[in-house]
Structure formats: structure tokens, C-alpha cells
């Protein structure tokens, strides 16, 4: 671990974080472009750019742009893990990397200039050791009360069977809001533990219920049932450009994103959740949480490759969404319906 990493970790200990993000399967995102994608010949790519990737990491990066600090936890392995740490420190994030013996994975994102099609090659992550999970559970036990813990991104293979049960019990005992954004078995295991918030998209909801595709009505009805049965407190249900829903016991709210020229969708889902977390941390109403969520997710689609949103774009889009959906801003940062 280099000197800058150690300094960042020391800072983490001295600052009591209200928000902590956990990325169990981070990746170094490599972004480039070519004129045309064809088989068997050597393809000459443009000079690549590198970004730290993974759900929780992206959420912390977006929150930083929104002037909200968070602790950023992730396994760090090999040269790729060290590059991710250096990139995050360069963005002035407060990181806590768990050193592992396996190299952190890489993802490759390629834009075909001729068609503007985007190709995303996602590599699998290595299995994490039992020792890693023991260190992780110990750190979660040390979290401050009344905070927010976000677990976001794909799950590594063979994680402990009681993973979400153990973490949700700890969070409940410390009055920590547990927010989870994952898919497949990870999502299935999450909703058995009555977490504060999950963020499935339509496809993830369909897979959860063994369906190929869900209609809007059925996706909303299933989400409402999940909340009513006490399996989860709130659901941020997303369907890309078609809109997002905030579903709770109190109400079902909907906002459709404004029409924009989309350059890339990489990181848009993570940004959507970051916007919601920002609103939760600022004690916004559910309607305003959803508005900020849609603004952040849409703002990231304005960027190339895996580059995330700017705060200026989020603010502009939030204003547009507010005007279209009756969201009013008063008293400084506090927003009310």
C-alpha cells in the first residue's frame, strides 16, 4: 500500500462518516474506441482512459461531485487494485482498501466510431477469502450509528451464505440504513432481510421472479407486494429512459427523465442511486429523493465512456425535473413538496 493510500485511510479514521459504500467486485474500467469492430484482424484502438469502477465506488465518486463525502470500501489486489486506489485518492475520496492476494478485475468498454455502438466486456472477479469477510464484518461492527451503508455492484462468487443476514442485523442494531443494489442471488438474499432500500431495474425484477420480461404494471405490483410483506422498506425501481418509481408503504411515485442526447449509459444506474442517497442524507421527501435520483442518473448519460456526471449538470436537470413534477425548493438545501 503506498503512502497516499495510508494518508487517506488515516483521514478516514479521523472523520466520522455518515455514508459508507462497499464494492465487493470492483473493476478498473478501460475505455477506448475504434473505427469499426471486425473479427480476426488487429484492431487499432485510440489511446485508452482509465476509471475506477464498481457500484459502490461509482456512488462515492458521484457523491463527491455532489459535495457529500463518503467512506469508500473495496478489496484491492494486484497492480489494478493499486491503480484504482490511486485514481480514487486523486479524486480526493476517503478510501479503505482491503488488501487481497488476487488481482482486481478489469472491464473494457469500446465505442465503434462508425456506428456509435458501445461494447462492454465485463470480466469476472476472483473469489474472496474467508479472512477478507472476517475483516469486513469487523469493520462493519465499528461503523457509526445512524449512518448509511451502501452495498452496490455485482457480488463475487461464493460469498458467505449468511452475508446479508449478518450485515442487516448489525445495521439494525446500530440504526444504520442498509441500501443494496445488486442482482441475481444477491438481490434474492437481500430482500429476505428487510433492508431500507433496494434499486432493481425491470430486468432484475423479472429475473428475481423467474420471468423473461415484466410489464410496467406487474413490476410495480410486485414491488408494492414486496414492501407490503415487509421484505424491504423502500424500492427505487428503474426502467432507463422510461422512468423511475419510488415505492414505499406510503405511496408510489413516478418521474420520467427529461429527453437528452445520450452519449453513454455506463454508470447511470450507480448515479441514480447516488442521487437517491444524497436526498436521503439531506432528509428530502420521497418525491424529492426520486427527483434528485433521476437528475443524477440522466446527467451521467451526457458523458462519454465511463465518465460520471458533473454537479452542474445534476443541478440543471434537477431544476427541469422540479418544474415538470411540482418539486419546490425552499430554505437553502432543504427541499419540500
Amino acid at each position: 500500500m503506498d503512502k497516499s493510500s495510508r494518508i487517506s485511510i488515516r483521514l478516514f479514521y479521523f472523520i466520522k462518516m455518515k455514508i459508507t459504500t462497499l464494492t465487493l467486485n470492483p473493476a478498473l474500467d478501460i475505455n477506448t474506441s475504434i473505427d469499426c469492430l471486425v473479427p480476426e484482424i488487429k484492431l487499432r484502438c485510440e489511446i485508452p482512459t482509465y476509471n475506477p469502477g464498481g457500484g459502490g465506488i461509482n456512488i462515492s465518486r458521484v457523491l463527491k461531485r455532489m459535495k457529500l463525502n463518503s467512506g469508500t470500501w473495496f478489496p484491492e489486489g494486484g497492480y489494478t487494485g493499486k491503480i484504482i486506489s490511486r485514481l480514487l485518492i486523486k479524486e480526493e475520496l476517503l478510501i479503505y482498501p482491503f488488501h487481497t492476494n488476487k488481482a482486481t478485475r478489469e472491464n473494457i468498454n469500446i465505442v465503434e466510431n462508425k456506428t456509435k455502438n458501445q461494447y462492454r466486456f465485463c470480466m469476472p472477479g476472483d473469489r474472496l477469502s474467508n479472512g477478507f469477510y472476517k475483516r469486513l464484518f469487523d469493520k462493519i461492527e465499528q461503523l457509526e450509528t445512524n449512518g448509511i451503508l451502501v452495498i452496490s455492484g455485482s457480488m463475487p462468487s461464493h460469498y458467505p451464505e449468511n452475508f446479508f443476514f449478518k450485515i442487516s442485523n448489525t445495521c439494525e442494531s446500530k440504526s444504520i440504513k442498509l441500501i443494496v443494489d445488486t442482482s441475481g442471488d444477491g438481490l434474492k438474499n437481500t430482500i429476505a432481510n428487510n433492508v431500507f432500500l433496494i434499486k432493481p431495474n425491470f430486468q432484475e425484477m423479472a429475473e428475481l421472479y423467474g420471468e423473461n420480461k415484466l410489464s410496467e404494471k406487474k413490476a410495480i405490483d410486485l414491488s408494492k407486494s414486496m414492501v407490503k410483506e415487509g421484505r424491504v422498506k423502500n424500492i427505487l425501481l428503474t426502467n432507463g429512459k422510461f422512468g423511475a418509481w419510488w415505492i414505499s408503504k406510503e405511496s408510489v411515485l413516478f418521474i420520467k427523465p427529461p429527453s437528452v442526447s445520450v452519449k453513454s449509459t455506463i454508470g447511470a444506474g450507480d448515479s441514480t442511486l447516488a442521487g437517491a442517497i444524497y436526498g436521503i442524507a439531506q432528509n428530502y421527501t420521497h418525491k424529492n429523493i426520486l427527483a434528485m435520483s433521476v437528475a443524477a442518473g440522466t446527467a451521467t448519460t451526457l458523458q462519454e465512456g465511463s465518465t460520471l456526471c458533473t454537479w452542474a449538470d445534476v443541478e440543471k436537470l434537477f431544476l427541469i425535473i422540479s418544474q415538470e413534477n411540482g418539486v419546490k425548493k425552499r430554505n437553502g438545501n432543504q427541499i419540500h413538496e
Side-chain angles (χ1 to χ4, degrees):
M1 189 179 297
D2 58 26
K3 183 179 178 181
S4 57
S5 294
R6 291 194 297 271
I7 291 172
S8 180
I9 291 169
R10 285 200 292 271
L11 283 172
F12 182 91
Y13 282 123
F14 281 108
I15 299 174
K16 292 184 177 180
M17 303 306 304
K18 184 174 183 180
I19 303 169
T20 301
T21 68
L22 171 60
T23 308
L24 288 168
N25 203 17
L28 180 64
D29 285 335
I30 304 171
N31 309 287
T32 188
S33 62
I34 57 172
D35 289 333
C36 185
L37 193 64
V38 294
E40 298 185 9
I41 65 171
K42 291 182 180 180
L43 301 175
R44 306 298 179 183
C45 300
E46 296 296 322
I47 295 174
T49 61
Y50 299 87
N51 284 311
I57 285 174
N58 283 339
I59 288 166
S60 283
R61 295 174 66 210
V62 172
L63 290 174
K64 183 68 177 180
R65 288 160 168 75
M66 301 172 84
K67 309 182 190 307
L68 197 60
N69 284 324
S70 60
T72 311
W73 296 6
F74 57 96
E76 177 202 75
Y79 83 96
T80 45
K82 287 182 172 59
I83 292 172
I84 288 174
S85 290
R86 284 197 288 269
L87 289 169
L88 293 175
I89 291 168
K90 189 175 180 181
E91 293 188 33
E92 300 183 343
L93 267 69
L94 300 171
I95 68 169
Y96 189 92
F98 295 80
H99 177 71
T100 63
N101 294 324
K102 301 291 182 66
T104 302
R105 68 190 177 120
E106 296 171 296
N107 289 336
I108 302 172
N109 308 306
I110 299 176
V111 173
E112 187 180 46
N113 294 326
K114 185 177 180 180
T115 62
K116 299 304 179 184
N117 288 332
Q118 185 179 73
Y119 298 88
R120 302 171 63 178
F121 300 90
C122 299
M123 309 301 168
D126 278 315
R127 179 174 181 170
L128 296 170
S129 68
N130 292 334
F132 165 83
Y133 288 106
K134 184 181 186 305
R135 285 182 287 154
L136 175 62
F137 290 141
D138 289 344
K139 285 300 298 178
I140 291 174
E141 290 281 356
Q142 298 170 30
L143 285 173
E144 294 293 320
T145 58
N146 300 306
I148 297 171
L149 173 61
V150 185
I151 302 174
S152 181
S154 60
M155 296 295 293
S157 62
H158 303 95
Y159 61 91
E161 188 175 343
N162 65 346
F163 179 81
F164 287 106
F165 175 77
K166 194 168 182 177
I167 291 178
S168 64
N169 280 354
T170 300
C171 288
E172 186 175 359
S173 69
K174 298 172 77 72
S175 299
I176 294 170
K177 292 181 174 68
L178 178 57
I179 298 173
V180 181
D181 180 17
T182 189
S183 58
D185 288 339
L187 179 58
K188 186 180 295 185
N189 292 332
T190 298
I191 61 173
N193 292 283
N194 193 25
V195 300
F196 178 77
L197 173 67
I198 60 172
K199 192 204 75 65
N201 58 36
F202 271 37
Q203 185 57 41
E204 290 163 347
M205 280 291 288
E207 292 171 359
L208 182 64
Y209 286 94
E211 303 277 354
N212 291 324
K213 190 176 181 181
L214 291 179
S215 67
E216 179 181 309
K217 182 180 184 305
K218 189 166 184 180
I220 294 169
D221 286 345
L222 289 172
S223 298
K224 287 165 66 176
S225 296
M226 205 182 299
V227 171
K228 186 177 180 181
E229 292 165 4
R231 299 165 73 189
V232 62
K233 293 182 176 67
N234 302 282
I235 296 177
L236 176 56
L237 179 66
T238 63
N239 193 23
K241 65 181 181 180
F242 299 105
W245 293 258
W246 182 276
I247 299 166
S248 64
K249 284 186 177 179
E250 293 78 22
S251 59
V252 175
L253 304 170
F254 170 76
I255 288 178
K256 185 176 181 179
S259 180
V260 298
S261 179
V262 174
K263 294 181 179 177
S264 173
T265 59
I266 298 174
D270 299 330
S271 301
T272 297
L273 184 53
I277 293 165
Y278 179 91
I280 292 166
Q282 301 288 354
N283 295 315
Y284 287 0
T285 63
H286 288 170
K287 186 173 183 180
N288 297 295
I289 291 171
L290 183 59
M292 184 59 74
S293 174
V294 172
T298 306
T300 286
T301 68
L302 302 176
Q303 303 298 319
E304 301 278 2
S306 58
T307 303
L308 299 172
C309 60
T310 67
W311 182 226
D313 284 338
V314 174
E315 288 188 305
K316 289 175 186 175
L317 287 163
F318 181 80
L319 180 60
I320 293 170
I321 292 167
S322 298
Q323 292 171 342
E324 292 178 349
N325 294 274
V327 178
K328 299 180 181 179
K329 185 171 182 178
R330 305 189 187 110
N331 302 327
N333 289 329
Q334 185 63 44
I335 300 179
H336 305 276
E337 291 177 284

